[in-house]
Amino acid sequence: MATTKGNLTIDSENIFPIIKKWLYSDHDIFIRELISNGVDAITKLKRLSSMGEADIPSGEEYKVTVYASPIEKTLTFVDNGIGMTMEEVDKYINQIAFSGATDFLEKYKDKDENDQIIGHFGLGFYSAFMVSDKVTIESLSFADGAAPVYWECDGGTTFEMREGNYDKRGTRITLYLSDDSLEFANEYRVKEIINKYCSFMPVEIYFINEDEAKKKASEEIVQEKESKASKEEDELIGGSEVADDAVDTDAADTEDKDAPKPLNDTNPLWMRTPGECKDEDYIDFYQKVFLDFKEPLFWIHLNMDYPFNLKGILYFPRVNPNMEQLEGKVKLYNNQVFVADNIKEVIPEFLLLLKGVIDCPDLPLNVSRSALQNDGFVQKISDHITKKVADKLSGMYKTKREDYEKFWDDISPFIKYGCLRDTKFNDRMTDYMIFKNIEGKYITLPEYLEAAKEKHENKVFYITDEELQAQYIEMFKKTGTDAIYLTHSIDNPYITNLEMKNEGVKFLRIDADVNEALKGDSLSEDDAKAYTDKLTETFKKALSVEKINIKVESLSDENISSMLTQSEESRRMADMMKMYAMGGMPGIDYGKDAETLVLNANNKLVKYVLDNPEGENTDKVCQQLYDLAVIANRQLTADELTRFVARSNEILGLIIG
């Protein structure tokens, strides 16, 4: 058959510079595209064989093999799938997916380099030109009597196609790498990319270092010749047959040992039914895929065929209490082909804090996020995933309450974030939100409010730091007043959400004010004002400040001398200002000016200051009372701590004379 030459059916002088720069944001994705094409070719052949339309030998081992040659600067992809005839190569390669390139050029020629451009025009094969100076195709169709075809293109708009000599069913695509893309001939780099994109493709994928294979083959030929010569020599001197058998056995053992192994798992855990999977399977998969040595808390296995095809596993990982930010990774697959990490249009945003895999064949392999944002079908998928997670959690609450409570401290940040980001999820989880109280028991918000109705109706006291707020916690315990633990950064916005959803309910940090339950005999307004005015002047002088907020209370525990409080509104505003400052915005310091020093009128140290405003040691007592109140609320600065230690030593010296 004569050689055919021609122009690719595109309306541009040269599409390839645009393909090289704009087709995909990550150039390494071409490996995924070409392997995926090979897998598709095998899948089509299997389907035809099952329908009786292709005569394939029984026991056929289907595979895609990737060969790399650093010496030749080539990367080759071989499959034993359906293959192509010359007419098919002309249709699917030369015409570039039915002239779809015209639309491609028009739409993307002026795109900014940061834009994510996705191949909607069947351009997967052409991703090869992102890294190649020349690409060749050798293919033999499964059809009876089909002639092999050879195709070649050097990255311009011209190609050469003729009958080839490829004698194996399937397709071999060879990339002659450009000088700036030689990394893709490196064995470890190629394996890294295959592991990234193709770890779970449904057809076995092999890698062979072509240079090493040729070297080994040459060495084996030399060894075979030497062995043959040695054997002939042994025969001349009466060598035994036993020795020959031993040599053959060793050769067989070596062959088995050196046989290449597939790089992928063709039957990943999420493709199996939950009934087939054991706990250790889930844990092994989690640790292997996410490189997390800690075992996950629990998981949700998604497996549905209607109204859409969706499979996957979502893991709730253990939270590192020292990390403010939660970071997960949910991998999106299409028919076991990796698409991307953390695509929030498909996976609800709050679930991106989890770790897991979602496989949805109904989505395009090359996902355009801008298109997905307006896709109603995609929204249904997202809603369904949210519902399945809520069903799992509510079911655990109802039937495995002990496990639910055991996991709560780890999973609550995920759930609270979900409630903030997703109204439907929030509604589904309302009855299953629990909080650890001051006694270490888990209760719901309605249970807390009911128990506290007589002492502080509609007020919810909470703890953010068990160590810093230990004094307040002890006071609450002594008076039988309850509080709940809210120790994660997500809790600040979450309680605001709860206040909006529960009219009249107010959350107060345990040190926001002096709870009525902590007070002893009431102090008359006149006495309180007189004490406050007197102590304010004394403390201003002792602390060398122009302003200080002081409040005198009669506390039931006379051993408590001083406390530092900050109104809930001021503290939340201060936290918000800190957040703005961290984000680069100028912040306002709502710190010390919003604090109030509460002094206990029943404490003997406070009484001493009242009775001895000009006493020799009054300044030291005032300074010590203030620092003790600060220590119970927050950390002292370095200078404050230095002065506190020196003063403490001085006071101890006065005691012993």
Side-chain angles (χ1 to χ4, degrees), residues 173-361:
I173 299 173
T174 302
L175 282 57
Y176 295 82
L177 299 169
S178 55
D179 288 340
D180 60 355
S181 299
L182 296 182
E183 62 177 294
F184 299 113
N186 179 277
E187 176 177 349
Y188 299 102
R189 178 72 173 115
V190 175
K191 285 183 176 179
E192 175 189 41
I193 298 168
I194 293 174
N195 181 63
K196 175 181 177 181
Y197 292 111
C198 312
S199 286
F200 303 104
M201 284 190 178
V203 174
E204 289 185 347
I205 302 166
Y206 293 86
F207 175 87
I208 294 177
N209 185 315
E210 201 166 0
D211 297 336
E212 290 185 0
K214 288 178 180 177
K215 180 181 178 182
K216 183 179 178 181
S218 298
E219 291 173 348
E220 288 176 349
I221 291 173
V222 172
Q223 290 174 358
E224 185 178 350
K225 289 180 178 178
E226 291 175 349
S227 176
K228 184 177 180 181
S230 176
K231 183 178 179 182
E232 290 174 350
E233 183 179 347
D234 288 342
E235 289 176 350
L236 290 174
I237 62 175
S240 68
E241 295 182 3
V242 175
D244 294 338
D245 293 339
V247 171
D248 292 341
T249 302
D250 290 342
D253 290 342
T254 302
E255 184 177 345
D256 290 341
K257 181 179 178 181
D258 295 340
K261 298 179 181 179
L263 301 179
N264 59 321
D265 177 2
T266 60
N267 186 30
L269 198 64
W270 75 80
M271 296 300 291
R272 308 174 203 171
T273 60
E276 296 178 64
C277 308
K278 300 177 181 178
D279 286 355
E280 50 266 35
D281 295 329
Y282 289 108
I283 294 169
D284 289 345
F285 181 81
Y286 173 82
Q287 293 178 335
K288 176 185 175 182
V289 173
F290 300 103
L291 304 178
D292 189 345
F293 67 91
K294 300 185 298 294
E295 292 186 5
L297 297 168
F298 62 94
W299 46 85
I300 301 171
H301 194 146
L302 305 168
N303 189 359
M304 61 177 299
D305 299 314
Y306 181 83
F308 38 76
N309 193 337
L310 177 69
K311 291 176 170 44
I313 305 171
L314 292 175
Y315 290 93
F316 278 77
R318 295 185 185 276
V319 175
N320 184 344
N322 297 319
M323 294 180 63
E324 285 293 313
Q325 299 299 322
L326 299 172
E327 183 178 355
K329 179 180 286 187
V330 180
K331 297 176 174 291
L332 181 65
Y333 288 80
N334 174 305
N335 277 325
Q336 301 173 229
V337 179
F338 176 72
V339 176
D341 288 320
N342 294 357
I343 295 187
K344 63 182 180 181
E345 288 80 12
V346 180
I347 303 158
E349 185 178 3
F350 75 94
L351 292 180
L352 297 180
L353 303 178
L354 304 182
K355 295 180 180 179
V357 295
I358 298 291
D359 194 329
C360 188

Side-chain angles (χ1 to χ4, degrees), residues 407-627:
F407 297 148
W408 181 255
D409 289 347
D410 284 290
I411 68 176
S412 62
F414 302 115
I415 300 175
K416 291 169 184 174
Y417 186 67
C419 291
L420 291 172
R421 302 298 299 179
D422 191 305
T423 302
K424 290 181 180 178
F425 183 77
N426 183 59
D427 293 341
R428 290 187 176 110
M429 290 302 301
T430 296
D431 296 334
Y432 312 110
M433 303 299 293
I434 57 176
F435 306 88
K436 184 166 71 173
N437 74 353
I438 206 166
E439 301 296 336
K441 298 178 180 178
Y442 287 92
I443 58 175
T444 63
L445 181 60
E447 288 170 344
Y448 177 94
L449 293 171
E450 179 62 28
K453 187 164 55 177
E454 295 183 4
K455 287 188 175 181
H456 46 86
E457 186 173 13
N458 283 340
K459 289 183 180 178
V460 182
F461 291 99
Y462 65 95
I463 303 159
T464 59
D465 191 309
E466 190 169 18
E467 292 184 4
L468 284 178
Q469 295 155 15
Q471 177 187 359
Y472 303 91
I473 294 171
E474 189 61 30
M475 289 190 298
F476 269 59
K477 285 182 177 179
K478 284 183 178 180
T479 59
T481 307
D482 204 2
I484 59 175
Y485 284 89
L486 296 173
T487 58
H488 198 276
S489 57
I490 195 67
D491 288 317
N492 203 23
Y494 180 66
I495 60 176
T496 302
N497 179 63
L498 284 178
E499 288 171 338
M500 294 173 59
K501 301 259 180 205
N502 297 272
E503 187 176 356
V505 173
K506 182 67 177 175
F507 281 76
L508 299 167
R509 202 166 80 172
I510 200 169
D511 58 352
D513 201 352
V514 179
N515 179 21
E516 291 297 323
L518 306 179
K519 296 179 181 180
D521 297 334
S522 60
L523 205 63
S524 70
E525 288 187 16
D526 290 342
D527 285 346
K529 185 177 186 309
Y531 293 163
T532 299
D533 291 343
K534 191 173 184 179
L535 289 170
T536 298
E537 293 305 316
T538 304
F539 271 81
K540 284 169 64 175
K541 174 179 172 292
L543 300 177
S544 300
V545 294
E546 295 183 3
K547 180 182 178 183
I548 185 171
N549 300 318
I550 286 181
K551 184 178 182 181
V552 179
E553 293 282 5
S554 175
L555 302 180
S556 58
D557 188 348
E558 64 181 29
N559 292 317
I560 297 172
S561 57
S562 57
M563 298 167 52
L564 205 63
T565 65
Q566 184 178 8
S567 72
E568 186 72 15
E569 292 77 11
S570 298
R571 188 191 57 74
R572 292 194 197 183
M573 181 63 72
D575 288 344
M576 185 171 69
M577 290 300 104
K578 288 177 185 175
M579 184 178 66
Y580 286 154
M582 288 175 64
M585 297 178 62
I588 302 173
D589 186 6
Y590 279 84
K592 291 185 178 181
D593 290 343
E595 294 174 345
T596 298
L597 178 64
V598 178
L599 298 169
N600 183 7
N602 293 328
N603 179 264
K604 58 185 178 182
L605 291 174
V606 176
K607 289 178 179 178
Y608 172 84
V609 175
L610 280 168
D611 295 340
N612 301 277
E614 301 296 334
E616 180 182 355
N617 296 312
T618 297
D619 284 355
K620 291 185 181 66
V621 174
C622 290
Q623 293 162 1
Q624 199 75 355
L625 287 173
Y626 179 77
D627 282 353

